[in-house]
Amino acid sequence: MRAILFTELGIEPIRYRRLGLALGYLQSLLIQPDHRVVRDAFTHSLHLARSGHATWVNDLRSTLSKLPIPVHCTVDELTDADNLARLRKDIRQSCEQSLTSDIQASVRVHLLHNRLEFREDGQQLHTSPIITLRAYLDVIKVPKHRHTFTRLITSSHALSIERLRYEERYRSPIPREWRLCRFCRGAVEDECHALMVCEAQLTLVCLREQYWMEMDRTAPDIVLMQHQLSSYALLQRVLFDRHVLTLTAKYVYDVLAVFAGREPYIPESHLYTDA
């Protein structure tokens, strides 16, 4: 999905960026003196637009109305500077609502649903910005840790919850409830189970104990939340707190390396057999 490119990198989608440029150009036309040719051409375009003809002004209105979250305006509203400011705000809201809707509708990026964001002083933000360069892209300095962390939160990893979603040469797609952990086979092998729950593999248990020991030295308040939050809520908490990102990214890298060392569990009923 493309929505995460914009929400994670702080880049505005091109169609919204072009609309912003078009409104900027329109605003510059409004302040041109009447004797300028460009102002005269704009006035004629407005007259044609009011008559229902195809013009640049009506093309702009049509483009606004065809956004994923439509923005509607009249010809006269495009001639008022105050209304242009409102339109800019409406376009920004349309962009953010569209991206939010795409992310909320995707089960693959569930870790980004209703995520927590924190300021540099550690205080939680009441509302998370929709389009911004995310802290983990800057704070996590080790490339392989940053790469693995990004794959985790966008479900581009090799855990069974994602890997077994699709058909492969020798097996059919496996329903979610059968994408069991390759070590314990007692629960679905998803991000939360792998990082916070599974105790069926000794190396995994040791990595988790070491992680929480280091967390106790770095952010003891988070360690206290172990008994207050669910495993999933705790995972979301540590994934997006910039003060523990470096520690968490290394832990994610080490844990996924352990899982990569063994083939996933495939129920025999979903394996293709020769006729």
Side-chain angles (χ1 to χ4, degrees):
M1 60 183 303
R2 289 179 295 178
I4 54 178
L5 291 175
F6 308 117
T7 61
E8 304 305 291
L9 296 175
I11 299 173
E12 193 175 20
I14 188 65
R15 68 191 305 179
Y16 288 96
R17 175 61 178 155
R18 285 174 173 170
L19 280 170
L21 293 173
L23 288 183
Y25 175 64
L26 179 57
Q27 195 162 16
S28 72
L29 293 178
L30 295 177
I31 61 175
Q32 296 296 322
D34 292 338
H35 68 272
R36 295 290 300 276
V37 174
V38 67
R39 179 55 188 257
D40 192 43
F42 176 56
T43 301
H44 282 287
S45 181
L46 291 174
H47 289 318
L48 290 171
R50 292 188 180 99
S51 302
H53 296 286
T55 66
W56 178 79
V57 172
N58 275 340
D59 286 345
L60 180 58
R61 294 175 60 217
S62 176
T63 302
L64 288 169
S65 68
K66 292 178 181 178
L67 290 173
I69 308 296
V71 175
H72 300 287
C73 67
T74 65
V75 174
D76 290 335
E77 286 176 332
L78 292 176
T79 64
D80 183 86
D82 292 336
N83 278 321
L84 289 183
R86 177 188 62 80
L87 276 176
R88 284 183 178 276
K89 182 178 178 181
D90 290 346
I91 291 171
R92 179 71 178 186
Q93 290 178 345
S94 171
C95 178
E96 293 182 347
Q97 290 175 15
S98 174
L99 294 175
T100 300
S101 177
D102 287 345
I103 289 176
Q104 293 294 115
S106 172
V107 296
R108 293 191 59 192
V109 291
H110 60 93
L111 289 172
L112 301 183
H113 296 178
N114 306 313
R115 67 169 152 197
L116 305 175
E117 291 283 352
F118 299 86
R119 298 199 303 259
E120 292 190 12
D121 60 4
Q123 294 297 314
Q124 181 179 338
L125 295 175
H126 296 296
T127 57
S128 174
I130 306 300
I131 305 174
T132 186
L133 180 65
R134 302 298 172 179
Y136 64 84
L137 295 171
D138 177 56
V139 173
I140 304 172
K141 301 300 184 183
V142 181
K144 61 184 180 181
H145 293 174
R146 184 172 60 247
H147 184 259
T148 303
F149 183 91
T150 304
R151 281 185 169 273
L152 177 85
I153 65 174
T154 57
S155 287
S156 298
H157 49 68
L159 294 176
S160 294
I161 187 65
E162 185 61 29
R163 180 174 173 181
L164 304 186
R165 183 191 304 273
Y166 308 103
E167 181 179 23
E168 291 188 359
R169 184 175 182 182
Y170 296 109
R171 64 164 177 81
S172 62
I174 297 177
R176 188 184 193 281
E177 63 271 17
W178 283 106
R179 301 173 204 165
L180 300 179
C181 175
R182 67 195 72 190
F183 295 121
C184 68
R185 300 187 185 180
V188 173
E189 186 183 285
D190 59 10
E191 300 87 352
C192 182
H193 178 79
L195 292 165
M196 297 292 176
V197 178
C198 186
E199 297 181 344
Q201 212 275 353
L202 181 60
T203 303
L204 203 59
V205 173
C206 292
L207 285 172
R208 190 175 299 126
E209 289 178 351
Q210 182 181 1
Y211 171 69
W212 285 116
M213 288 175 59
E214 294 181 12
M215 181 70 77
D216 192 35
R217 292 191 290 268
T218 305
D221 56 317
I222 295 181
V223 177
L224 296 175
M225 296 179 185
Q226 283 183 284
H227 306 294
Q228 303 170 1
L229 301 176
S230 66
S231 297
Y232 187 83
L234 186 61
L235 176 60
Q236 281 196 309
R237 179 66 175 77
V238 299
L239 284 178
F240 299 111
D241 189 333
R242 64 185 301 126
H243 295 91
V244 297
L245 273 174
T246 301
L247 174 62
T248 300
K250 181 181 184 304
Y251 174 61
V252 168
Y253 175 83
D254 292 339
V255 167
L256 293 189
V258 172
F259 276 86
R262 179 184 291 189
E263 287 297 311
Y265 166 69
I266 310 293
E268 291 186 6
S269 58
H270 290 83
L271 291 172
Y272 293 143
T273 58
D274 295 333

